[in-house]
Amino acid sequence: MPELPEVEVVRAGLARHVAGRTVTGVEVLDPRPLRRQDGGVRAFVDQLTGRTVTAVVRRGKFLWLPLDDGRALSAHLGMSGQLLVRGTSPAAASDRDPAIRSAAAFLVDPDTRLGRRPVDLSATERPRYVRDISASPRHLRVRVHLSSDPSADGTDGAVLDLVDQRMLGGLHVVDLTPTVDGAPGGAGSPEPLLPADATHIARDLLDPALELAGPTGVVARVRASRRAIKTLLLDQGLVSGIGNIYADEGLWEAGVHGLRLGTALDTRVVARILEATAEVMRRALEAGGTSFDALYVDVEGASGFFARELGAYGRQGQACRRCGTTMLREALGGRSHTYCPRCQRRPRRRR
Ligand SMILES: [Zn+2]
């Protein structure tokens, strides 16, 4: 499941290649990803065609593309959804981002523009985690045709594909609504707007407008709860963007067992956990996200490379990187929790 850093990688890639383009056509090969669309396939196509994508915005793991009519295309990646951009001009892309110049060579397919392989930004760096993600047509669900980019010379039209093997992701057009606090809705746009069906999603840990301190801040709300800290970290209504990977990492970094209750933690410890989790996510972002599931790739087809850096997640049975004690894993609230029994003291069972 992509978490905040992985979705941010997708957001940045979409912003680079899709923002400013106009939708010239929509092909729905499978209606199931549109299940959240009011009015179904017809409404989706009608509401999207002719609209220009003005930005790409993310709050936590939620992603939306504001359109020029005040609505937005909302994208859910689910467990296996991928958004792939094809057909963007390699020359224009490398002009704007020198880092991908070397990758541009992979792009060109002389036979068909749409048949170009997606850009793989990372293949030359760490090929170990990269796989060929040439989309199987079987898993292509929705294809959005886009105009050339008016802000860059020499670009061609492009397509944005939703590819989804397990059918858990989806797209829909939704109204935007003002944020309660008047701050930007998320990363990627200064507009104080967010999708009307995402108002229950709290701001994420990397959002400068997230209220941490104060009587209604995240720290106070954690300390008022008798739920386990790990469960609280995963609660997208409290603070968004954290999934199983980064919750385990933040708790390991902070030296706190996930079963500790919010009420058992003092302000300093809660702040330490949140800061540690944010820091791990920032590091993952620099590395391009974390990827364990081969299905996860970013919008241009690159998978993340942060997995090897992790301290806790997926390391049960291995030595703690800090103290050498064998890491353990246990069930916690329907998820797994991997921890070091020495660095992260397990609370005594409640009677
Ligand atoms: Zn340890």
Side-chain angles (χ1 to χ4, degrees):
M1 183 78 170
E3 301 186 23
L4 185 156
E6 291 75 33
V7 180
E8 175 58 22
V9 170
V10 174
R11 189 204 67 75
L14 284 174
R16 194 158 60 232
H17 293 295
V18 173
R21 294 178 186 265
T22 298
V23 176
T24 56
V26 180
E27 288 176 72
V28 178
L29 289 81
D30 187 324
R32 286 175 290 174
L34 307 183
R35 60 192 171 279
R36 298 185 211 191
Q37 175 68 52
D38 285 343
V41 173
R42 171 62 71 82
F44 181 77
V45 173
D46 286 351
Q47 291 172 25
L48 208 49
T49 305
R51 299 271 66 88
T52 297
V53 175
T54 61
V56 186
V57 190
R58 178 193 55 74
R59 171 183 285 208
K61 313 172 196 176
F62 274 72
L63 198 61
W64 66 94
L65 287 65
L67 305 170
D68 61 353
D69 66 349
R71 289 200 272 195
L73 172 61
S74 177
H76 309 259
L77 299 176
M79 294 289 283
S80 61
Q82 301 168 6
L83 289 169
L84 302 176
V85 180
R86 295 158 196 279
T88 55
S89 161
S94 59
D95 285 348
R96 273 181 280 171
D97 185 353
I100 68 170
R101 193 168 292 139
S102 61
F106 295 105
L107 261 172
V108 182
D109 177 343
D111 295 330
T112 161
R113 200 154 283 159
L114 299 185
R116 284 176 185 164
R117 295 272 290 269
V119 189
D120 187 334
L121 299 185
S122 315
T124 52
E125 294 173 29
R126 300 182 191 174
R128 186 174 146 197
Y129 287 110
V130 173
R131 71 191 184 107
D132 178 4
I133 51 82
S134 358
S136 160
R138 210 152 55 87
H139 300 141
L140 172 61
R141 310 298 178 183
V142 178
R143 169 165 280 181
V144 178
H145 293 264
L146 298 159
S147 68
S148 59
D149 181 349
S151 70
D153 291 336
T155 56
D156 300 317
V159 294
L160 173 64
D161 285 344
L162 174 68
V163 177
D164 197 346
Q165 187 172 327
R166 296 187 226 154
M167 297 301 298
L168 296 164
L171 298 170
H172 65 286
V173 178
V174 63
D175 289 335
L176 292 172
T177 191
T179 54
V180 176
D181 57 10
S189 167
E191 297 293 329
L193 299 169
L194 79 169
D197 55 1
T199 52
H200 60 293
I201 304 298
R203 291 188 176 279
D204 62 62
L205 263 186
L206 301 187
D207 187 333
L210 174 69
E211 187 190 356
L212 278 173
T216 57
V218 178
V219 173
R221 290 175 65 194
V222 166
R223 297 193 59 224
S225 173
R226 292 194 53 80
R227 289 190 293 161
I229 180 63
K230 173 147 184 191
T231 305
L232 290 165
L233 291 176
L234 297 176
D235 181 346
Q236 304 297 303
L238 179 67
V239 59
S240 68
I242 309 172
N244 219 27
I245 298 172
Y246 295 102
D248 272 3
E249 292 303 301
L251 289 167
W252 179 78
E253 290 278 353
V256 176
H257 193 284
L259 274 177
R260 297 278 299 278
L261 303 184
T263 48
L265 301 171
D266 70 29
T267 300
R268 205 164 34 87
V269 172
V270 175
R272 193 168 75 215
I273 294 166
L274 294 173
E275 180 45 44
T277 306
E279 182 53 30
V280 177
M281 290 199 292
R282 281 191 285 265
R283 290 206 328 256
L285 258 180
E286 284 169 22
T290 305
S291 179
F292 297 93
D293 189 338
L295 286 169
Y296 168 71
V297 288
D298 79 14
V299 68
E300 292 158 326
S303 57
F305 297 111
F306 190 60
R308 62 174 65 182
E309 319 251 334
L310 296 180
Y313 187 85
R315 298 199 70 248
Q316 64 278 5
Q318 300 180 50
C320 171
R321 293 193 200 276
R322 199 159 38 213
C323 74
T325 304
T326 301
M327 307 280 293
L328 301 179
R329 181 167 73 168
E330 64 181 82
L332 195 165
R335 311 292 290 271
S336 70
H337 177 41
T338 304
Y339 65 99
C340 168
R342 186 165 171 200
C343 298
Q344 297 165 270
R345 271 313 150 68
R346 195 181 187 289
R348 255 176 278 167
R349 224 174 273 281
R350 277 177 292 162
R351 311 181 183 145

